[in-house]
Amino acid sequence: AAVGDELNYTVVVTNTGNVTLSNVAVSDPLTGLNTTIASLAPLASESITTSYTITQADIDAGKVDNTASAAVGAVNVSASESVTATQSPALSITKTATESSFASVGDVLNYTIVVTNIGNVTLSNVAVSDPL
């Protein structure tokens, strides 16, 4: 929901074959994970934790898609995970007059209008109107 939030991932690599695997390369480009499992026996698993810090672009996109891969020799497998963002678009507006009073026809009143994005999503084409 916020820039700087952290997504924590666990990548589990399992040897589903019947021979011990050596030097299994594990990568997750999104999180920067790039490691090697020295040896993985048949039916054994190894868990690797990694994390990613949320950016404004992730919130605006509404989700983070992530894919991790493991490779050894000709065997290359991957797994993906998608985490949905909580998007909360919101605006506030204030209008203030520079003058606190007026006395005559033709007096000019000056206003300041401030529109603030108080949500967590980048907003585009925000229309502001003042019929007066």
Side-chain angles (χ1 to χ4, degrees):
V3 171
D5 281 357
E6 193 170 271
L7 298 178
N8 296 297
Y9 295 96
T10 301
V11 178
V12 180
V13 180
T14 303
N15 180 352
T16 59
N18 62 358
V19 296
T20 298
L21 301 174
S22 298
N23 299 319
V24 180
V26 182
S27 65
D28 181 344
L30 182 70
T31 67
L33 174 68
N34 190 7
T35 191
T36 300
I37 300 171
S39 180
L40 194 59
L43 305 180
S45 296
E46 185 163 329
S47 296
I48 304 163
T49 58
T50 187
S51 63
Y52 174 73
T53 303
I54 295 299
T55 66
Q56 185 62 55
D58 298 324
I59 295 171
D60 292 346
K63 65 180 178 174
V64 172
D65 292 323
N66 187 15
T67 301
S69 300
V72 61
V75 178
N76 190 347
V77 294
S78 63
S80 298
E81 180 74 10
S82 185
V83 179
T84 304
T86 301
Q87 293 179 314
S88 302
L91 286 173
S92 73
I93 187 169
T94 59
K95 180 178 180 178
T96 56
T98 303
E99 298 76 24
S100 59
S101 64
F102 62 94
S104 304
V105 171
D107 284 355
V108 175
L109 301 177
N110 297 288
Y111 295 97
T112 300
I113 298 171
V114 177
V115 178
T116 305
N117 180 351
I118 58 172
N120 69 346
V121 180
T122 301
L123 302 173
S124 300
N125 301 316
V126 176
V128 179
S129 65
D130 183 353
L132 182 62

